């Protein structure tokens, strides 16, 4: 699209069905004729792996009253098509971000204007509670206004279906078609307030009961008293539930990072409210050292991602990555399920194609299938829906998300926080630790080390640059990575897995996605994909080798990190 085309699109926002405030903001952009004008109008804001997420402001490529209103109108029309002659209800939650509460009202107004019953939380709540609410209230749909861990200028719109999971095929395409068939003047903003019902704390109480049931591993009151916890909500929604669930579960030694406890969409004490980034947990780590904490826990603004630090074998607090946390949590859930004689041929754990292959090895050890999906927890939720006769134990992904059982159908940092504390309590009572257990798992399977590289490419030019990188790699794929021969290439866009040694191809039985995964002869895995929620291209590196003794971990880790460095250099040449 040219700058002239974008300007023409902007002029349409001066028409009467847009309000005067919008008129003024658009006119200011037109008068300045800046690059912001082009970026605001050169395309429509799209749905990605986490719904629709973008910068706030006027324009078709921004999150605002009209882009949200159009989504809500399209959703209303689609729900009526999918559930004819039924009473339709939708649950809505929102986080701490700027305008989240106002945006939730906008969406509620449009839905109710179309005759749909709305259950709207009366204050900010964690995302997993929205998933739980959809199931508990038997709603056909749910919406949460959040941009997860994105910077303060972002917000978003995530849609959940009646199973409590995020939207997946075929509903996602059906909804998009309904939205794209509309123009902005089709939006009905005339709310019917009698159809909008406030949700208080009743759902919180039910959630606490089910979360404690699922996250409890059987530690004793004394075990829990011996655990010191430092917790930060990073100015997000988890402050409304995590401290309370830990208290109800019997963990009383919880130190809350007060400087980050107040919900605030500016996230003033961090550059990014993302527990995947070590800097975000620096304040909590510093206080953890002073407090003598056994575990430090941080969650992102909508409380679906969790980052933790635990004491390593030198007694120092060490941040774990999402893969490491996931495998330890999964192992303890598998242990619990096995001890209760509930593991069967129908049991399964789950992860994603870009997460650590150690999850597959863990499943093999227990005789349990590990099912893999594309990036995003909606695919794990879809597995549960697609296989209703199977028993889902738990699962996660490298990006610091975890789900315990199927009572919630999205990543859930509230219950995961409890599970992490339970693991610390149990291992400490056995004169071990969360960290020591991870190292023992490495000796049981293999020692895995992973690294994520995220490169930001903003705006229309950045989007094209990311597309060019992926296109060029497909055109001339690397034959060597980290000094090792590439033996298999999986292209999820063409749905083909190519055995490069035997020159054979097999189909990939997953939805098409812009993902490439390379496997080398030494068992390393290198994946790459554009982010579905941020202007980034992401590279995932996983390497492994044998670890015979826990005492050898430091030297083996050093070898693996050197291998990651070699692969990183090769990836830089591909950019």
């Amino acid at each position: 699209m040219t700058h002239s085309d974008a300007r023409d699109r902007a002029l349409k926002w001066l028409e009467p069905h847009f309000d005067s405030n919008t008129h003024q903001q658009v006119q200011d952009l037109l008068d300045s004729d800046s690059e912001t004008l082009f970026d605001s109008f050169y395309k429509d804001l799209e749905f990605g792996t986490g719904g629709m997420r973008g910068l706030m402001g006027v324009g078709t490529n921004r999150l605002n009253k009209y882009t949200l209103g159009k989504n809500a109108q399209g959703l209303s029309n689609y729900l009526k098509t999918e559930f004819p002659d039924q009473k339709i209800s939708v649950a809505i939650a929102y986080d701490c971000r700027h305008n989240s509460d106002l945006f939730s009202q906008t969406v509620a107004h449009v839905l109710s204007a179309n005759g749909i019953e709305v259950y709207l939380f009366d204050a900010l709540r964690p995302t997993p509670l929205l998933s739980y609410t959809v199931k508990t209230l038997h709603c056909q749909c749910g919406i949460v206004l959040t941009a997860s861990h994105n910077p303060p200028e972002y917000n978003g719109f995530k849609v959940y279906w009646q199973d409590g999971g995020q939207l997946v095929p075929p509903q996602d395409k059906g909804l998009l078609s309904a939205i794209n068939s509309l123009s902005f003047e089709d939006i009905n903003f005339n709310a019917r307030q009698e159809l909008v019902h406030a949700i208080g704390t009743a759902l919180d109480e039910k959630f606490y009961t089910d979360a404690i049931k699922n996250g409890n591993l059987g530690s004793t009151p004394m075990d829990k008293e011996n655990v010191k916890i430092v917790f930060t909500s990073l100015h997000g929604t988890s402050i409304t539930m995590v401290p309370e669930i830990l208290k109800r579960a019997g963990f009383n030694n919880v130190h809350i990072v007060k400087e980050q406890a107040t919900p605030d969409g500016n996230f003033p004490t961090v550059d990014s409210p993302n527990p995947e980034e070590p800097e975000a947990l620096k304040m909590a780590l510093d206080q953890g050292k002073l407090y003598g904490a056994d575990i430090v826990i941080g969650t992102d603004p909508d409380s679906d991602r969790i980052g933790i630090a635990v004491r390593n074998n030198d007694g120092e607090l060490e941040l774990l990555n999402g893969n490491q946390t996931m495998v330890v949590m999964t192992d303890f859930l598998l242990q619990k399920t096995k001890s209760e004689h509930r593991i069967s041929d129908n049991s399964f754990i789950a992860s994603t194609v870009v997460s650590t292959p150690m999850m597959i090895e863990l499943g093999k050890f227990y005789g349990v299938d590990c099912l893999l999906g594309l990036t995003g927890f909606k695919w794990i939720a879809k597995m549960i829906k697609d296989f209703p006769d199977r028993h889902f134990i738990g699962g996660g992904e490298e990006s610091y998300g975890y789900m315990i059982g199927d009572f919630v159908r999205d990543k859930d940092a509230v219950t995961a926080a409890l599970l992490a504390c339970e693991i610390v309590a149990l291992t400490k009572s056995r004169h071990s630790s969360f960290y020591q257990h991870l190292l023992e798992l490495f000796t049981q399977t293999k020692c895995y080390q992973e690294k994520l590289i995220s490169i930001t490419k903003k705006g229309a030019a950045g989007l094209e640059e990311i597309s060019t990188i992926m296109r060029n790699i497909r055109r001339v794929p690397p034959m060597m990575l980290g000094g090792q021969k590439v033996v298999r290439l999986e292209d999820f866009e063409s749905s083909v897995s190519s055995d490069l040694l035997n020159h054979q191809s097999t189909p990939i039985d997953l939805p098409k996605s812009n993902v490439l995964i390379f496997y080398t002869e030494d068992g390393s895995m290198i994946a790459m994909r554009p982010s579905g929620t941020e202007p980034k291209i992401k590279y995932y590196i996983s390497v492994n080798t044998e670890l015979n003794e826990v005492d050898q971990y430091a030297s083996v880790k050093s070898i693996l990190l050197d291998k990651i460095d070699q692969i990183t250099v090769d990836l830089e040449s591909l950019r």
Side-chain angles (χ1 to χ4, degrees):
M1 179 176 288
T2 66
H3 280 70
S4 177
D5 293 331
R7 188 176 181 84
D8 289 342
R9 283 164 65 97
L11 287 169
K12 292 182 180 297
W13 280 53
L14 297 178
E15 293 175 358
H17 46 270
F18 294 96
D19 62 32
S20 58
N21 184 48
T22 300
H23 288 169
Q24 184 59 57
Q25 292 182 63
V26 171
Q27 189 61 57
D28 289 344
L29 287 176
L30 287 165
D31 292 342
S32 64
D33 199 23
S34 66
E35 196 62 32
T36 304
L37 171 67
F38 176 74
D39 195 63
S40 298
F41 285 95
Y42 83 95
K43 67 169 186 170
D44 292 335
L45 202 57
E46 299 170 349
F47 271 74
T49 53
M52 190 181 79
R53 198 181 298 182
L55 293 165
M56 290 177 279
V58 295
T60 58
N61 190 35
R62 294 289 187 267
L63 207 76
N64 52 64
K65 171 183 177 180
Y66 297 99
T67 53
L68 279 174
K70 187 177 175 183
N71 283 344
Q73 184 63 55
L75 178 61
S76 300
N77 297 348
Y78 182 64
L79 286 169
K80 290 178 179 179
T81 301
E82 287 292 292
F83 303 101
D85 305 317
Q86 292 186 38
K87 182 181 177 182
I88 300 172
S89 62
V90 175
I92 303 176
Y94 59 92
D95 71 0
C96 60
R97 288 180 172 273
H98 298 305
N99 300 315
S100 282
D101 53 347
L102 295 176
F103 286 158
S104 71
Q105 292 282 349
T106 297
V107 173
H109 289 169
V110 175
L111 292 171
S112 66
N114 285 273
I116 291 173
E117 205 91 19
V118 176
Y119 295 94
L120 174 64
F121 276 97
D122 60 1
L124 75 172
R125 291 293 198 286
T127 286
L129 183 59
L130 185 277
S131 171
Y132 180 81
T133 299
V134 171
K135 289 183 64 188
T136 304
L137 296 184
H138 306 290
C139 297
Q140 283 88 351
C141 181
I143 297 164
V144 61
L145 283 302
T146 178
S148 189
H149 57 276
N150 281 53
E153 59 269 23
Y154 282 77
N155 214 317
F157 174 90
K158 281 203 289 192
V159 181
Y160 292 74
W161 208 237
Q162 60 189 142
D163 65 318
Q166 289 185 52
L167 218 56
V168 293
Q171 286 81 23
D172 57 352
K173 291 181 174 60
L175 174 57
L176 281 173
S177 177
I179 293 170
N180 291 336
S181 69
L182 299 173
S183 58
F184 289 108
E185 53 263 44
D186 295 325
I187 306 168
N188 185 351
F189 286 112
N190 299 313
R192 293 175 57 185
Q193 291 295 347
E194 72 275 12
L195 296 179
V196 181
H197 313 285
I199 303 176
T201 59
L203 267 296
D204 301 27
E205 294 297 323
K206 290 177 67 66
F207 180 89
Y208 288 135
T209 300
D210 286 342
I212 291 172
K213 176 183 175 183
N214 281 269
N216 176 44
L217 293 176
S219 64
T220 68
M222 182 61 71
D223 295 339
K224 293 169 182 172
E225 282 297 324
N226 288 331
V227 175
K228 289 186 176 182
I229 303 160
V230 166
F231 167 71
T232 176
S233 60
L234 295 177
H235 304 288
T237 62
S238 63
I239 195 67
T240 65
M241 299 198 85
V242 170
E244 182 64 20
I245 198 172
L246 292 177
K247 178 181 176 182
R248 292 185 183 210
F251 290 96
N252 296 312
N253 297 322
V254 181
H255 172 82
I256 297 171
V257 179
K258 291 182 172 57
E259 297 89 338
Q260 298 175 329
T262 301
D264 187 337
N266 287 318
F267 312 113
T269 64
V270 293
D271 289 334
S272 171
N274 185 358
E276 295 179 72
E277 298 177 10
E279 294 80 7
L281 296 183
K282 184 181 184 305
M283 188 177 291
L285 282 168
D286 289 344
Q287 294 190 20
K289 293 170 186 174
L290 292 173
Y291 186 64
D294 298 291
I295 182 171
V296 171
I297 299 171
T299 58
D300 69 344
D302 66 327
S303 192
D304 57 2
R305 283 179 168 83
I306 181 171
I308 70 168
V310 293
R311 295 284 172 181
N312 63 23
N313 288 358
D314 294 323
E316 301 295 326
L317 283 170
E318 181 173 327
L319 288 167
L320 301 184
N321 64 40
N323 286 310
Q324 294 168 332
T325 301
M326 169 173 60
V327 295
V328 174
M329 287 183 169
T330 303
D331 187 66
F332 270 88
L333 290 178
L334 286 165
Q335 284 184 31
K336 175 186 176 184
T337 308
K338 184 178 180 180
S339 70
E340 295 170 347
H341 307 289
R342 293 192 298 118
I343 286 184
S344 69
D345 292 341
N346 284 330
S347 300
F348 75 99
I349 57 176
S351 190
T352 65
V353 295
V354 299
S355 297
T356 179
M358 188 173 169
M359 284 289 283
I360 298 171
E361 298 302 316
L362 201 57
K364 289 177 181 176
F365 185 84
Y366 284 91
V368 169
D369 288 339
C370 178
L371 304 185
L372 299 182
L374 297 173
T375 305
F377 253 79
K378 62 184 181 181
W379 301 112
I380 295 178
K382 187 176 187 296
M383 295 172 194
I384 299 171
K385 182 171 67 173
D386 289 347
F387 304 108
D389 296 329
R390 300 199 66 173
H391 169 216
F392 174 71
I393 295 171
E397 60 182 350
E398 52 74 38
S399 57
Y400 293 62
Y402 201 79
M403 182 164 69
I404 300 146
D406 65 357
F407 79 107
V408 169
R409 299 292 176 88
D410 201 0
K411 50 187 177 286
D412 172 10
V414 179
T415 312
L418 172 59
L419 177 61
C421 293
E422 282 280 326
I423 293 171
V424 171
L426 283 177
T427 53
K428 190 174 183 179
S429 73
R430 299 166 184 169
H431 306 289
S432 182
S433 68
F434 194 115
Y435 189 87
Q436 174 72 11
H437 192 82
L438 172 65
L439 302 194
E440 290 169 358
L441 287 178
F442 286 157
T443 65
Q444 177 182 298
T445 56
K446 282 186 175 181
C447 183
Y448 284 82
Q449 293 292 314
E450 279 90 21
K451 180 179 181 180
L452 169 65
I453 303 170
S454 293
I455 300 171
T456 300
K457 304 283 187 180
K458 292 185 177 181
L463 190 64
E464 179 55 35
E465 189 176 350
I466 290 171
S467 297
T468 300
I469 291 171
M470 295 298 291
R471 188 165 54 249
N472 289 343
I473 293 173
R474 282 192 169 89
R475 185 172 53 84
V476 187
M479 293 294 101
M480 299 282 290
L481 284 168
Q484 297 288 320
K485 184 185 295 183
V486 175
V487 296
R488 181 154 56 100
L489 167 59
E490 293 178 342
D491 187 342
F492 290 80
E493 194 165 74
S494 62
S495 300
V496 174
S497 176
S498 301
D499 183 334
L500 303 181
L501 292 180
N502 299 314
H503 305 289
Q504 295 177 339
S505 296
T506 54
I508 296 174
D509 188 23
L510 287 173
K512 291 183 182 297
S513 184
N514 191 6
V515 180
L516 289 169
I517 303 181
F518 298 85
Y519 297 87
T520 63
E521 56 189 340
D522 66 348
S524 298
M525 181 187 84
I526 302 95
M528 52 197 71
R529 58 178 280 271
S531 171
T533 56
E534 300 172 277
K536 294 179 178 180
I537 184 167
K538 294 187 173 185
Y539 301 88
Y540 307 80
I541 304 170
S542 176
V543 298
N544 67 85
T545 192
E546 299 290 339
L547 177 65
N548 296 318
E549 300 288 342
V550 167
D551 291 345
Q552 299 171 358
Y553 176 64
S555 59
V556 170
K557 177 182 177 181
S558 178
I559 292 169
L560 291 175
L561 293 180
D562 285 344
K563 186 181 293 188
I564 287 175
D565 288 342
Q566 293 175 43
I567 294 171
T568 300
V569 170
D570 289 343
L571 290 176
E572 288 173 355
S573 69
L574 299 177
R575 302 200 294 268

